[in-house]
Amino acid sequence: MAAALSQLDDGTVRGMSIGAVFTDYAGKINCLDFHRKDDLLVTSSDDDSVRLYNTTTATLLKTTYHKKHGADRICFTHHPSSILCSSKFNLEPAESLRYLSLYDNRCLRYFKGHKDRVVSLCMSPANDSFMSGSLDHSVRIWDLRVNACQGILRLRGRPSVAYDQQGLVFAVAMEGGAIKLFDSRSYDKGPFDTFLVGGDTAEVSDIKFSNDGKSVLLTTTNNHIYVLDAYGGEKKCGFSLEPSRNIATEAAFTPDGQYVISGSGDGNLHAWNINTVQEIACWNSHIGPITALKWAPRRAMFATASTALTFWIPNESNSS
């Protein structure tokens, strides 16, 4: 189903349409993630489920339920059947992060330390390190192989974290539009650069690097989207969307870094060409305001989620 990614252009992006819909969730989908190399997608939902899909055949491979802890933020590790999942409940014992095997539905490890919900989770592309940002005003750095936290960064507000595609640099966004860049190998020396997104006092709900590492995508809690130069922090472009009550909109780069797609509070999806700073598409999501959205690595495909999951693929008939 998911075609290999050729060169994207305005027409191809504009011609994206729904190729598959999964409507059997009993609650909103909190998060979704594509595996970096395999054609797999994982979701976490308010119905306490974690679901694994094959994106080539658009089939559900596995569903596991996590009634004790719930399923909030989620991301793949390097192994296609192992994931990291943050908890929604029972945070008191500090079991806020779990390393799960979907193959045999087993918890491989608890990562204890956060004292509140984890709101941002990111696996290093380079090694077994991963980061978590929590409402307890800390970012913690971990290693999949050991229980103990490897490092802590304390900061103001709600943190959002992201690694670049080489795993050499990570970014931490916090309140007041401050973004701090760290060297992954020497983060204890403090940030090597700090950007300020002037004029927007909203908290950053999400941050992502483009695949080429040249741009950073910020989404704020009041539904502003900014594309920044990753080296100097200059604002390349910015877009404003309909606010959504109690839903933080997610945006994503296409793999070539030339387009941004996003959900919106009114239930529409939007796509912009970063170079021309033009909106090139607006689609009805057909599933209401979007809670999670990502573009697949290496594929002409993206996924959106609310209380249902949709796969979007090129529709050759209307891309002209």
Side-chain angles (χ1 to χ4, degrees), residues 129-143:
S129 300
F130 69 96
M131 286 187 297
S132 55
S134 167
L135 296 177
D136 66 9
H137 310 303
S138 75
V139 168
R140 288 178 179 258
I141 294 119
W142 313 84
D143 187 303

Side-chain angles (χ1 to χ4, degrees), residues 1-8 12 15-17 19 34 39 54-58 255 295-302 311-316:
M1 174 181 151
L5 187 69
S6 54
Q7 191 66 36
L8 287 175
T12 306
M16 299 293 280
S17 60
F34 286 97
D39 290 316
N54 180 312
T55 55
T56 307
T57 57
W295 192 289
R298 307 170 295 102
R299 296 289 180 194
M301 172 196 174
F302 67 90
F311 292 173
W312 291 70
I313 56 172
N315 180 344
E316 298 305 331

Side-chain angles (χ1 to χ4, degrees), residues 35-71:
H35 192 267
R36 291 173 65 81
K37 295 184 177 162
D38 292 22
D39 290 316
L40 297 170
L41 173 101
V42 68
T43 65
S44 56
S45 166
D46 272 355
D47 64 11
D48 304 329
S49 71
V50 170
R51 306 186 192 207
L52 181 69
Y53 296 86
N54 180 312
T55 55
T56 307
T57 57
T59 50
L60 175 65
L61 301 177
K62 185 127 190 181
T63 303
T64 59
Y65 284 93
H66 305 266
K67 296 296 184 188
K68 181 184 175 187
H69 294 97

